[in-house]
Amino acid sequence: MKKVINITLICLMVSVFCSTTHYRAESTYDNDPDLLLIPYKKILENLSNEYGVRMYIPEKNKDKFLNSVQDMTLQEFEQRLRQQYKEAEKYINQSAGESVVIYP
């Protein structure tokens, strides 16, 4: 009888421990934008090094950024950034070739 009570008590303690540990781990990842931004920051860092420009996520726009990329995969995010950079580069090159007249 004593063994049955001990085994039941151990099983109860293990189940309580597992349920509380799982809940804490899940809530930490869901609520911390800094952890969710890590893969995106790595992509931005790689593209910054590749293109020689500084790409980053401003602190005040973290939540807005996460909402805008929540339906994208990381590959889609990287591809979109590359397209946007190439598009912006076209406009920069066009305006660099134009002469600017400044009137005194």
Side-chain angles (χ1 to χ4, degrees), residues 87-101:
E87 187 69 26
E89 198 173 44
K90 289 178 192 176
Y91 291 109
I92 292 170
N93 291 337
Q94 286 176 356
S95 65
E98 297 175 359
S99 59
V100 178
V101 179

Side-chain angles (χ1 to χ4, degrees), residues 4 9-10 14 20 30 32 34 51 56 63 66 69 78-79 84 91-92 94 98:
V4 172
L9 183 61
I10 290 172
V14 168
T20 58
D30 288 344
D32 191 2
D34 290 327
Y51 292 128
Y56 65 98
D63 294 329
L66 284 172
V69 297
E78 183 176 358
Q79 185 179 23
Q84 289 175 348
Y91 291 109
I92 292 170
Q94 286 176 356
E98 297 175 359

Side-chain angles (χ1 to χ4, degrees), residues 29-74:
Y29 289 112
D30 288 344
N31 296 329
D32 191 2
D34 290 327
L35 291 176
L36 296 172
L37 288 173
I38 289 173
Y40 297 102
K41 286 183 177 181
K42 287 182 180 181
I43 290 173
L44 288 171
E45 185 179 317
N46 289 340
L47 292 177
S48 294
N49 292 336
E50 183 178 332
Y51 292 128
V53 296
R54 185 168 178 237
M55 296 182 186
Y56 65 98
I57 303 165
E59 287 293 318
K60 64 181 181 178
N61 293 341
K62 284 182 182 179
D63 294 329
K64 186 177 178 182
F65 173 81
L66 284 172
N67 287 336
S68 69
V69 297
Q70 68 184 359
D71 295 330
M72 271 189 243
T73 65
L74 292 174

